[in-house]
Amino acid sequence: MTSSAEAAGTSSGPRIILEQPQVEDGMDPAAKKLAVNGNTPDPYGIRGVNGKDKNSKQVATNVTAQVHHVSRAKRGQVMGTRGGFRGCTVWFTGLSGAGKTTVSFALEEYLCHHGIPAYSLDGDNMRTGLNKNLSFTKEDREENIRRVSEVAKLFADGGVVCLSSFISPYAQDRQEARKLHEEVGLPFFEVFVDTPLDVCEGRDVKGLYKKARAGLIKGFTGIDQKYEVPEKPEVTLFTNKSTVQECCQQLVKYLQSRGVVPESAVETVKELLVPADCREAARKEAESLDTLNITKLDTQWVQVLSEGWATPMTGFMREREFLQCQHFNCLLDGGVINQSVPIVLPVQTEDKERLEKQEAFALVYEGRRIAILRTPEFYAHHKEERCCRQWGTSHPDHPYIKMVMESGDWLVGGDLEVLERFRWNDGLDEYRLTPNELRKKFRDLGADAVFAFQLRNPVHNGHALLMNDTKRRLKERGYSKPVLLLHPLGGWTKDDDVPLDTRMKQHHAILEEGVLDPDSTVLAIFPSPMMYAGPTEVQWHAKARMATGANFYIVGRDPAGMPHPDKTRDLYDHSHGRRVLTMAPGLTQLEIIPFRVAAYNKKKSAMDFFDPEKKDDFLFISGTKMRALARAGEDPPDGFMAPTAWKILCEFYQSLSKK
């Protein structure tokens, strides 16, 4: 078929006949109205505003707008990973140097990292390409904005969040840009970056104000040309009072309120703790409800949910969420959110029959009501299938699988309201920082990058080498204050693992000896139980750290792995956890830093990254060898572990021998 552009020419040339547009489900209201009235949307700006805009005079003849076969609803299904049509234009306006492009680029990065397609149109970039034939006269400025408006509309119609950063000093031009979008049912949001002239002039990143003051640039907005302040912008930003990140989050929250950004893409932590002013009433209600006694393992999962580590979950999984988790390793309602392990509450048949008609009941641990579970949904606990999908085996000697098989035949999901903050009173509660508390800690430290390291074992100098090398590489990339989140797992672990209190003492010794920099390291406890589910579980470990605001995650060798229960081999390939993390959906906020193999360099008397070409220089000290040395009270080679940290391990293993 001949295109409309090819058909343009003399009146005797070929003519394209446009069929009556179809009204589709999912078509935007304004576009549907146009279709019903026998008119067609004008996504390409062929007709201009009202078909006769003064700056868009129709020159080509025999041109007819074509209606797409692909609806916006269909585009929304395939654009990005969040689902739904999100096309719109966010129009940043303000003086030169106000911070328009800086905030726009930050928002673009944020949206793309969260699976929402976005693109920034910058004034300078447009004037070096599409608009390079335009000057800065009033007429050319109007034409510049008209062209940009048309381009922005095309991006928005394609399902992209278009971020347009232009001084756009004239209110009429901005109004025409808005009208252009609204006529075809596309959202348009004006953002006024309200930065005072003296602040902009003080920044003068491009040196333009200096030239304008010297008379070298004529017609410079704010100096000798007026800027018309927006009367009713959707959002006003004050970059002289707020950080770029704060401005970005202000915009994200606004876009969420307008349905552009789903709740799951907003960097807020969904805590399930009852607010302090409602706590007394909630306790009284809990006292009046029927109860369900739960285990320590279940209680640890209640803590994980209550503090927001599993954001955006609102409680124990209902069957729909459980099926999504089991079959896709993700939650799919509201976008693709990685959730590779099920967070479920098993119940016995007699409890199910007793509680299934209740609208709410209280969860009890060790005689104390700790939470209310509302609108419960009971469903069958297919244990063997669950285990095979999560662990790749249902071997009864796997320690966590054993607990699953011994648990109830039913699962119950529902919304949780947790009555108070968890305290285990073991001397370590000060390290059990919630995601929100960690975010504040990182802000107070001035961190511009946070890299997390998950561990359930003592730290040796090989681990420290990897963490310090990561910090060095982040600084080389331009980060000024990268901060390490040293985050040992603090929930249930198998009996032969080093217990949490010993590990925390050992980690403290590492920091005290300066093996890791205490001024740029935050030591905290991750409350999750350990499942030993290999590549499936390592996704959970990474996803949970996203709640803290971490943007880099170090993955080690055989993360979340263990020997096969039959003791013939490792249960998982040691490289699969690292490889799966780099491909896992719903983790786009994190950059995965793969583990580099470290071993003891005999020539350097220190841990070093392994060089296959000099393999004879290296000694691999296995966990089994390390434990044997510690039990015997013998020292490892110098440089393997900080001496005081090694002493703590020796004392622990020797105490086991005495028992």
Side-chain angles (χ1 to χ4, degrees):
M1 181 176 178
T2 308
S3 71
S4 57
E6 292 171 329
T10 65
S11 59
S12 59
R15 189 158 178 256
I16 297 172
I17 305 299
L18 182 68
E19 295 180 2
Q20 182 70 17
Q22 299 297 308
V23 180
E24 306 175 66
D25 290 336
M27 182 179 281
D28 292 279
K32 184 179 289 187
K33 181 179 178 182
L34 288 168
V36 170
N37 292 336
N39 298 316
T40 58
D42 183 24
Y44 298 107
I46 295 172
R47 293 192 301 275
V49 179
N50 296 324
K52 53 183 180 180
D53 183 83
K54 63 178 182 177
N55 288 323
S56 56
K57 181 180 178 182
Q58 187 71 52
V59 176
T61 59
N62 299 319
V63 176
T64 306
Q66 305 296 300
V67 175
H68 289 273
H69 293 182
V70 179
S71 69
R72 288 176 184 167
K74 174 56 68 176
R75 285 198 188 98
Q77 292 176 359
V78 299
M79 289 287 287
T81 60
R82 291 286 172 177
F85 182 80
R86 307 191 186 281
C88 66
T89 290
V90 180
W91 191 281
F92 294 86
T93 178
L95 296 174
S96 176
K100 301 181 298 298
T101 296
T102 300
V103 176
S104 172
F105 282 2
L107 181 59
E108 177 186 34
E109 181 180 22
Y110 180 97
L111 294 175
C112 289
H113 279 185
H114 287 80
I116 298 171
Y119 191 81
S120 288
L121 296 176
D122 173 69
D124 286 358
N125 291 347
M126 292 294 288
R127 281 187 173 274
T128 58
L130 179 65
N131 295 346
K132 66 181 180 181
N133 63 325
L134 298 178
S135 67
F136 288 92
T137 63
K138 187 176 187 300
E139 292 74 17
D140 277 5
R141 280 191 161 193
E142 290 176 355
E143 175 61 11
N144 179 56
I145 297 304
R146 188 196 71 80
R147 292 183 190 179
V148 169
S149 303
E150 296 285 4
V151 171
K153 186 176 68 171
L154 292 180
F155 272 98
D157 191 54
V160 175
V161 178
C162 185
L163 311 171
S164 301
S165 305
F166 296 85
I167 295 173
S168 45
Y170 306 126
Q172 180 62 32
D173 292 346
R174 300 193 298 266
Q175 182 57 34
E176 293 293 348
R178 179 187 297 275
K179 189 175 180 182
L180 201 62
H181 286 70
E182 291 178 346
E183 284 186 334
V184 292
L186 290 169
F188 180 95
F189 310 117
E190 185 176 43
V191 177
F192 176 33
V193 186
D194 187 3
T195 308
L197 175 62
D198 62 322
V199 174
C200 296
E201 193 166 357
R203 293 172 178 171
D204 203 12
V205 178
K206 303 172 186 175
L208 300 179
Y209 282 100
K210 185 177 181 181
K211 291 180 180 179
R213 291 292 187 189
L216 301 176
I217 299 177
K218 301 296 183 182
F220 192 80
T221 303
I223 302 299
D224 56 356
Q225 188 170 74
K226 183 180 179 182
Y227 174 80
E228 298 175 1
V229 174
E231 293 183 1
K232 294 181 179 179
E234 278 75 8
V235 179
T236 300
L237 302 178
F238 300 96
T239 61
N240 58 320
K241 300 176 182 178
S242 303
T243 66
V244 174
Q245 184 63 27
E246 289 168 343
C247 290
C248 183
Q249 284 302 307
Q250 182 181 344
L251 287 167
V252 169
K253 289 177 181 177
Y254 176 78
L255 292 175
Q256 181 198 2
S257 72
R258 298 302 297 267
V260 175
V261 173
E263 182 182 357
S264 58
V266 180
E267 277 196 0
T268 54
V269 177
K270 186 180 285 296
E271 291 187 345
L272 307 183
L273 294 163
V274 174
D277 58 348
C278 302
R279 200 166 293 153
E280 189 57 35
R283 284 198 185 100
K284 288 180 180 178
E285 182 186 1
E287 291 294 332
S288 70
L289 296 173
D290 286 345
T291 61
L292 175 68
N293 287 302
I294 63 174
T295 67
K296 185 175 182 179
L297 180 69
D298 299 330
T299 303
Q300 290 175 351
W301 283 119
V302 172
Q303 180 179 2
V304 166
L305 289 165
S306 71
E307 294 178 355
W309 297 99
T311 296
M313 288 179 59
T314 59
F316 284 108
M317 286 180 172
R318 301 176 187 274
E319 189 171 27
R320 177 180 174 85
E321 294 172 308
F322 177 71
L323 290 173
Q324 290 175 358
C325 168
Q326 286 274 273
H327 291 272
F328 307 112
N329 280 1
C330 290
L331 301 178
L332 302 176
D333 299 330
V336 178
I337 303 161
N338 193 283
Q339 185 59 52
S340 59
V341 301
I343 301 180
V344 292
L345 181 59
V347 294
Q348 302 295 333
T349 300
E350 54 267 32
D351 287 322
K352 181 250 186 188
E353 292 174 349
R354 179 173 58 86
L355 298 169
E356 62 183 340
K357 294 183 180 179
Q358 302 296 320
E359 292 184 0
F361 53 82
L363 302 183
V364 176
Y365 175 63
E366 293 187 339
R368 186 167 56 93
R369 286 167 167 80
I370 62 171
I372 297 172
L373 191 144
R374 297 194 186 278
T375 60
E377 176 189 336
F378 292 87
Y379 53 101
H381 189 186
H382 299 289
K383 301 176 188 177
E384 184 177 10
E385 180 188 5
R386 173 189 170 186
C387 292
C388 288
R389 291 190 183 279
Q390 183 172 348
W391 284 275
T393 179
S394 59
H395 198 293
D397 291 335
H398 184 291
Y400 203 105
I401 290 175
K402 184 175 186 292
M403 293 191 293
V404 171
M405 292 301 187
E406 293 173 352
S407 67
D409 292 334
W410 300 89
L411 299 174
V412 60
D415 295 337
L416 270 183
E417 295 175 6
V418 181
L419 300 180
E420 61 185 0
R421 174 82 175 270
F422 277 86
R423 300 294 180 190
W424 295 96
N425 300 316
D426 57 357
L428 298 174
D429 284 330
E430 65 178 298
Y431 297 103
R432 292 186 173 95
L433 302 179
T434 68
N436 278 328
E437 288 171 339
L438 284 167
R439 284 172 178 255
K440 182 179 185 303
K441 189 85 170 176
F442 299 143
R443 286 196 300 270
D444 292 345
L445 287 171
D448 56 357
V450 176
F451 58 108
F453 188 64
Q454 144 82 30
L455 66 165
R456 72 174 196 270
N457 292 312
V459 174
H460 58 63
N461 287 1
H463 298 131
L465 176 67
L466 178 59
M467 289 182 266
N468 288 326
D469 184 65
T470 299
K471 180 180 178 181
R472 177 189 61 78
R473 286 191 285 162
L474 290 174
K475 283 193 169 185
E476 288 177 352
R477 289 172 55 173
Y479 293 100
S480 60
K481 187 65 182 293
V483 170
L484 166 66
L485 172 59
L486 188 63
H487 215 199
L489 183 138
W492 175 89
T493 56
K494 54 190 176 68
D495 292 340
D496 59 351
D497 278 354
V498 178
L500 179 62
D501 59 343
T502 300
R503 285 185 280 133
M504 290 297 289
K505 290 177 185 175
Q506 196 266 352
H507 300 340
H508 266 293
I510 292 289
L511 291 168
E512 288 169 359
E513 291 211 22
V515 177
L516 295 173
D517 177 17
D519 293 331
S520 61
T521 300
V522 174
L523 174 61
I525 295 172
F526 176 45
S528 175
M530 188 73 199
M531 290 162 279
Y532 307 94
T536 298
E537 185 177 2
V538 75
Q539 296 176 65
W540 158 243
H541 291 166
K543 176 262 173 80
R545 275 35 179 251
M546 286 167 54
T548 71
N551 40 10
F552 296 91
Y553 184 80
I554 302 173
V555 58
R557 181 186 183 277
D558 194 21
M562 62 170 279
H564 195 285
D566 66 12
K567 298 180 173 56
T568 60
R569 61 193 185 282
D570 286 339
L571 185 54
Y572 306 105
D573 185 290
H574 69 84
S575 70
H576 283 184
R578 167 180 55 81
R579 293 166 64 187
V580 166
L581 264 192
T582 61
M583 300 182 283
L587 296 178
T588 50
Q589 177 186 324
L590 284 175
E591 182 174 331
I592 305 303
I593 301 175
F595 182 81
R596 295 175 65 189
V597 177
Y600 185 76
N601 189 317
K602 293 177 288 186
K603 288 189 174 180
K604 294 183 178 180
S605 296
M607 297 299 287
D608 194 10
F609 291 121
F610 178 66
D611 183 352
E613 294 183 358
K614 300 178 180 178
K615 60 182 181 180
D616 292 338
D617 294 346
F618 288 88
L619 174 66
F620 285 91
I621 302 174
S622 67
T624 302
K625 175 68 172 175
M626 183 185 74
R627 288 187 288 271
L629 288 171
R631 286 192 184 97
E634 298 178 12
D635 290 332
D638 288 342
F640 173 73
M641 185 182 292
T644 55
W646 178 254
K647 182 180 179 182
I648 291 167
L649 280 189
C650 287
E651 291 173 352
F652 166 70
Y653 280 112
Q654 288 171 359
S655 70
L656 294 181
S657 300
K658 292 176 183 177
K659 291 178 183 178

